[in-house]
Amino acid sequence: MNLLMFGPPGAGKGTQSALLVDNFDLAHISTGDLFRYNLKNETPLGAEAKKYIDAGNLVPDSVTIKMVEDVFGRLGEKGFILDGFPRTVAQAEALDELSLSTKKSVDKVIFFEVPRELLLERLTGRRVCKACGAVFHAAAKPTKAEGVCDECGGEVIQRTDDKAEAIENRLKVYEESTAPVKSFYREKGNLVEVDGTGSAEDVFSRVRSVIN
Ligand code: AMP
């Protein structure tokens, strides 16, 4: 089973991917996480991507596609969950080519439908652990001690691109560059729309019924 998690920033793609990985033997390919890993480790790729990510813009297609091609080359036989890729029609076309050459195609594209006010609420309140990546929410799921991760004791911060100005831009970039990818998959016939509101568990039970 190969799945693609699709939707605007804050739709819950990462949260649902993590729940899927806990329940099924799938590789989680998150381009956002891959970029953040490179930023943290100060690699040349991280240095190149930083200015785009901090401003809430997309990293250029050529850089992003090359990174995903490298990951596909190391996948082995496992099924995968793509999270945060493709974000442009050019990336979706590149993924089609990659599917042909690696014989690993996407079975279902799951689109999370979430109203804009809820996206804003989720993104502005999101806090993440710098060390282990655990995700919290300032109001809905606060850490027990301010700024300290409940899971590992690491430092919990707000992502630079979760600050108000970057969020506005990310939502604008989504509408302009990423939303057209939805029509691309709808035309292919493998797009499934899931109500992304409610708790992570509520959404996950909807995801389960879609993939069963
Ligand atoms: P995410 O964690 O998925 O919200 O991604 C964080 C940031 O990484 C995005 O705002 C972009 O700057 C960059 N990014 C992640 N995935 C892609 C992609 N497929 N294409 C271009 N930029 C991306």
Side-chain angles (χ1 to χ4, degrees):
M1 180 171 59
N2 299 319
L3 300 170
L4 200 161
M5 303 282 127
F6 186 64
K13 304 182 292 291
T15 302
Q16 295 305 315
S17 299
L19 289 169
L20 281 165
V21 169
D22 286 345
N23 286 271
F24 302 95
D25 187 26
L26 294 167
H28 180 195
I29 308 169
S30 156
T31 43
D33 285 351
L34 287 168
F35 284 129
R36 279 184 291 277
Y37 174 87
N38 279 278
L39 279 177
K40 192 173 162 188
N41 290 288
E42 298 179 354
T43 68
L45 173 60
E48 192 171 358
K50 186 174 174 18
K51 59 178 180 295
Y52 301 102
I53 295 174
D54 284 352
N57 289 320
L58 294 181
V59 179
D61 284 339
S62 56
V63 177
T64 309
I65 291 167
K66 167 83 176 58
M67 181 174 78
V68 173
E69 282 171 352
D70 289 347
V71 175
F72 263 63
R74 299 193 302 266
L75 254 186
E77 292 309 308
K78 249 189 174 186
F80 61 79
I81 304 169
L82 266 176
D83 161 12
F85 180 91
R87 265 174 152 104
T88 63
V89 172
Q91 291 180 13
E93 287 166 352
L95 178 60
D96 271 358
E97 281 173 31
L98 197 55
S99 296
L100 278 179
S101 63
T102 58
K103 302 196 172 50
K104 293 179 194 300
S105 56
V106 172
D107 300 307
K108 274 199 167 70
V109 177
I110 303 181
F111 175 81
F112 295 97
E113 190 82 59
V114 178
R116 185 183 164 92
E117 314 81 73
L118 183 55
L119 295 175
L120 283 170
E121 196 183 303
R122 285 182 180 172
L123 291 167
T124 48
R126 177 160 66 184
R127 302 289 182 270
V128 292
C129 174
K130 262 174 107 171
C132 74
V135 181
F136 300 91
H137 189 279
K141 193 189 169 196
T143 50
K144 290 193 185 93
E146 175 79 33
V148 181
C149 177
D150 293 352
E151 310 284 332
C152 76
E155 187 191 355
V156 171
I157 54 148
Q158 182 176 38
R159 274 167 46 175
T160 311
D161 61 343
D162 279 344
K163 306 247 156 95
E165 324 76 68
I167 290 175
E168 278 300 324
N169 192 41
R170 284 163 71 199
L171 293 173
K172 182 167 150 269
V173 167
Y174 172 80
E175 287 306 328
E176 286 170 5
S177 305
T178 309
V181 177
K182 189 177 174 190
S183 316
F184 179 94
Y185 286 114
R186 186 181 282 128
E187 277 160 34
K188 276 183 177 287
N190 55 357
L191 184 86
V192 192
E193 299 192 41
V194 165
D195 174 3
T197 62
S199 70
E201 293 72 26
D202 289 343
V203 179
F204 189 56
S205 68
R206 293 175 206 134
V207 169
R208 260 185 189 280
S209 57
V210 156
I211 59 177
N212 276 337

